[in-house]
Amino acid sequence: MRSSKLILHFCICFGIALLASHPQASTATKRLYAEDSIANLTGRLEIQAFPGPPNYESIAQGDEHERGLFIRLDRPITVSSSEGEIKINILHLAGALAERDFESGKKGSKTRVSGRVFLRFNGHHHTRVLLEVTSIETREEAL
């Protein structure tokens, strides 16, 4: 009798551990590695403006608009890099495909993007981590 209770207890604990480790049951963020990760992400497109030339300080004081295309993620990701762990909710999108969708005005659209994750390396990069877009699929309806 005692051994059957022990076996039952083990089975229940094992089942709970198995369910908790299932990807859909987990609330943990997706983990990527900067410079060598290919990411497949979903979210909504945003266009943001920043001060540009000549002083890169204030649009109100005459600096040009420097606009960029961003994706606000449905679920945050964590990127491991030489800077440590970086939790990301929004990514600046880079590359020709990002520019195409920027020009076509798909702001607010539900979007799935794929590409290479990389760390910012100049003042025109407006998030710590960016995505060099290799594919982009935008829909008005939910993905």
Side-chain angles (χ1 to χ4, degrees):
M1 178 79 167
R2 182 173 165 99
S3 66
S4 63
K5 283 186 179 182
L6 186 60
I7 291 171
L8 179 62
H9 180 73
F10 173 79
C11 289
I12 290 171
C13 290
F14 181 77
I16 291 170
L18 188 62
L19 283 174
S21 68
H22 189 273
Q24 291 180 342
S26 176
T27 58
T29 58
K30 184 176 191 174
R31 184 169 307 280
L32 299 169
Y33 298 93
E35 304 305 327
D36 63 356
S37 285
I38 301 298
N40 298 300
L41 306 167
T42 59
R44 296 212 174 262
L45 292 181
E46 295 182 5
I47 296 172
Q48 295 185 11
F50 300 89
N55 299 317
Y56 298 91
E57 293 174 358
S58 171
I59 294 169
Q61 293 181 2
D63 287 339
E64 293 179 22
H65 284 89
E66 182 172 288
R67 299 185 320 160
L69 186 65
F70 298 78
I71 187 166
R72 184 164 302 279
L73 301 173
D74 291 338
R75 300 179 107 174
I77 61 172
T78 299
V79 176
S80 296
S81 74
S82 59
E83 296 180 14
E85 300 288 310
I86 306 167
K87 187 172 181 180
I88 304 294
N89 293 310
I90 187 167
L91 283 163
H92 191 169
L93 301 179
L97 289 176
E99 290 176 22
R100 180 202 69 194
D101 274 40
F102 177 81
E103 295 302 323
S104 65
K106 298 187 178 177
K107 177 181 168 188
S109 298
K110 186 78 170 171
T111 303
R112 178 180 294 129
V113 293
S114 298
R116 183 183 65 86
V117 174
F118 68 99
L119 297 176
R120 68 178 171 201
F121 58 85
N122 69 43
H124 300 285
H125 297 156
H126 297 290
T127 56
R128 288 177 68 190
V129 177
L130 291 84
L131 186 76
E132 182 180 8
V133 178
T134 56
S135 74
I136 188 165
E137 178 185 344
T138 304
R139 299 188 203 167
E140 295 303 320
E141 70 276 4
L143 290 172

